[in-house]
Amino acid sequence: MTSGSTTPWWAALTLVLAAGLSPSFAADTPSKPGAAAPDLTAVRAKIKAKEFKPAITDLTALLDGGTNHPDVYNLLGFSYRKSGDRTNGALYYRKALDLDPWHKGALEYQGAMFAENGDIPKAKANLAKLVQLCPSGCEEREDLEKDIKDAQVKKRK
């Protein structure tokens, strides 16, 4: 808020929360006003075909071209993780969540990586956010719940 404003920022936030709005709107919202989501159809097809290295090339080109969108960072994190580079996977999930802390896909995929690494508490923290975003359930929440359960079973063996 500007110094001339009579409403403190926390009062405005209180009004938004009192109106029943939740942070779930952010899951598909660009991080900056006017920042349109890029067309990721071709990249998603490569990822579905498990062509992670070409997907990484395409996503990196988007970043090099000035695209700054959480979907790009999330898919880059996923592609790196699935290609075996968890360090870069973690880096790009973090960047996606820095732009949009309520990005459902990044919360799911980062949580899955935590579960794969045996860090169940961190995976459950991501799941808690997805429960907030999807109280009635959503694909991301259900997938992360399964990933956590699978990791716990694997850990017991």
Side-chain angles (χ1 to χ4, degrees), residues 1 7-15:
M1 297 251 138
T7 305
W9 67 267
W10 52 264
L13 178 61
T14 302
L15 291 173

Side-chain angles (χ1 to χ4, degrees), residues 3 6 10 15 28 37 51 54 58-59 62 65-67 75 79-80 91-93 102 106 110 115 118 149-151 156:
S3 60
T6 58
W10 52 264
L15 291 173
D28 297 319
E51 298 173 0
D58 292 353
L59 291 162
L62 285 170
T67 299
L75 292 177
S79 297
Y80 271 116
L91 171 74
Y92 287 107
Y93 290 142
W102 295 98
Q110 182 189 55
K149 184 178 177 183
D150 291 349
R156 285 185 218 131

Side-chain angles (χ1 to χ4, degrees), residues 5-51:
S5 175
T6 58
T7 305
W9 67 267
W10 52 264
L13 178 61
T14 302
L15 291 173
V16 167
L17 294 174
L21 299 176
S22 74
S24 64
F25 73 91
D28 297 319
T29 303
S31 59
K32 298 188 189 285
D39 181 5
L40 298 171
T41 306
V43 170
R44 290 179 194 278
K46 288 177 184 176
I47 290 170
K48 187 174 182 177
K50 298 184 182 194
E51 298 173 0

Side-chain angles (χ1 to χ4, degrees), residues 1-155:
M1 297 251 138
T2 61
S3 60
S5 175
T6 58
T7 305
W9 67 267
W10 52 264
L13 178 61
T14 302
L15 291 173
V16 167
L17 294 174
L21 299 176
S22 74
S24 64
F25 73 91
D28 297 319
T29 303
S31 59
K32 298 188 189 285
D39 181 5
L40 298 171
T41 306
V43 170
R44 290 179 194 278
K46 288 177 184 176
I47 290 170
K48 187 174 182 177
K50 298 184 182 194
E51 298 173 0
F52 301 116
K53 297 222 184 268
I56 289 168
T57 299
D58 292 353
L59 291 162
T60 302
L62 285 170
L63 294 178
D64 290 345
T67 299
N68 189 34
H69 196 277
D71 290 348
V72 173
Y73 289 111
N74 180 48
L75 292 177
L76 195 51
F78 181 85
S79 297
Y80 271 116
R81 176 172 63 101
K82 290 298 188 175
S83 67
D85 184 346
R86 291 184 185 202
T87 300
N88 273 317
L91 171 74
Y92 287 107
Y93 290 142
R94 181 74 259 145
K95 287 185 179 208
L97 291 167
D98 285 346
L99 288 175
D100 181 355
W102 295 98
H103 191 281
K104 291 189 293 186
L107 288 167
E108 175 198 346
Y109 293 155
Q110 182 189 55
M113 185 185 67
F114 290 149
E116 290 168 3
N117 292 340
D119 195 339
I120 302 302
K122 283 186 179 178
K124 286 184 175 181
N126 281 33
L127 179 59
K129 290 179 182 178
L130 287 170
V131 168
Q132 272 186 283
L133 287 167
C134 311
S136 301
C138 62
E139 182 179 352
E140 294 86 356
R141 175 182 168 178
E142 293 161 11
D143 288 350
L144 183 52
E145 287 170 341
K146 181 183 179 311
D147 290 337
I148 291 170
K149 184 178 177 183
D150 291 349
Q152 289 172 323
V153 168
K154 184 177 178 183
K155 191 174 182 178

